[in-house]
Amino acid sequence: MDYCIRLAQPSDVDYLPTIEGTAAQQYLPYISKLGLTPENLDDTVSVKVLTHAQRQQHLWVAVVSDSSSLLLAGFVVVNRLGNGFFIVELDVLPTYGRQGIGFALVNQVLNAAHEQNYPTVTLTTFRYIPWTIPFYHRLGFEIVGPENYTPDIQTIVDHEEHRGFSRQVRVVMQCQIPNKSSIHSVPS
């Protein structure tokens, strides 16, 4: 399967809530453990937020080449958080799961943070979904304890709890991005 990661175009935005809603169905077997209802899983990032992110170049999509057409298979959207990025949402259609697309989308965010000299990329994810924390660990993310929350992170955790995502089932993770000046090139 061939795919590429690119900045989202305005015409992509309307399709992304469907991708998010479809990807969220993977959490159905875990909703009681997470203290959620199926309605919580229907709460997708609004087209307004996605449109704003697209204009800010904070939205990337995965485009799959499928024999005769190009299909959107996933996306990642970020916000500025202090002097770094916060991953608001990452979704890949289950049909295209476990093929490196999610990894490539997060890597795109890490590369963008590096290029913009941002020292961190932060996210929140479900604590009790078996694949989430290991996935982000492989990308260099570490769990941030509540005692190390910045005011911005605390605001995000509070907002998520207000939307029905209890802080007991969520975890904050962060990846430290090397500063451009601290990366040494190998002599040729």
Side-chain angles (χ1 to χ4, degrees):
M1 174 192 65
D2 291 328
Y3 67 87
C4 71
I5 307 300
R6 63 164 169 77
L7 282 167
Q9 300 169 355
S11 59
D12 298 329
V13 171
D14 288 336
Y15 298 100
L16 303 183
T18 300
I19 292 172
E20 182 180 352
T22 301
Q25 298 309 301
Q26 300 173 92
Y27 298 128
L28 277 173
Y30 304 95
I31 60 172
S32 62
K33 191 174 200 174
L34 300 174
L36 300 176
T37 65
E39 290 75 31
N40 291 117
L41 299 180
D42 293 336
D43 185 17
T44 60
V45 178
S46 73
V47 169
K48 180 180 177 182
V49 168
L50 293 168
T51 299
H52 178 73
Q54 185 274 324
R55 289 181 182 143
Q56 298 292 313
Q57 296 188 339
H58 289 169
L59 176 62
W60 292 269
V61 294
V63 181
V64 173
S65 176
D66 187 11
S67 64
S68 62
S69 61
L70 298 176
L71 306 166
L72 292 179
F75 71 96
V76 63
V77 59
V78 300
N79 275 337
R80 225 16 233 288
L81 180 67
N83 59 353
F85 279 137
F86 175 75
I87 296 179
V88 174
E89 189 68 34
L90 167 69
D91 290 298
V92 176
L93 288 171
T95 306
Y96 298 104
R98 301 189 181 278
Q99 298 180 45
I101 293 174
F103 192 89
L105 284 163
V106 175
N107 256 338
Q108 180 61 53
V109 172
L110 297 175
N111 288 332
H114 175 72
E115 286 302 311
Q116 295 178 44
N117 245 3
Y118 293 161
T120 61
V121 174
T122 307
L123 59 88
T124 57
T125 191
F126 287 113
R127 184 180 302 276
Y128 302 115
I129 302 293
W131 63 86
T132 56
I133 293 173
F135 171 78
Y136 290 114
H137 272 306
R138 285 191 301 275
L139 285 154
F141 286 81
E142 297 296 330
I143 293 174
V144 177
E147 68 279 3
N148 294 317
Y149 290 177
T150 64
D152 287 338
I153 292 172
Q154 186 62 55
T155 298
I156 290 166
V157 170
D158 292 345
H159 175 75
E160 287 186 353
E161 186 156 57
H162 178 73
R163 289 182 43 230
F165 298 94
S166 164
R167 64 187 75 223
Q168 283 73 33
V169 300
R170 300 289 281 169
V171 62
V172 174
M173 299 186 78
Q174 191 169 74
C175 183
Q176 301 298 315
I177 308 298
N179 185 300
K180 282 186 191 179
S181 62
S182 70
I183 296 177
H184 305 288
S185 58
V186 178
S188 27

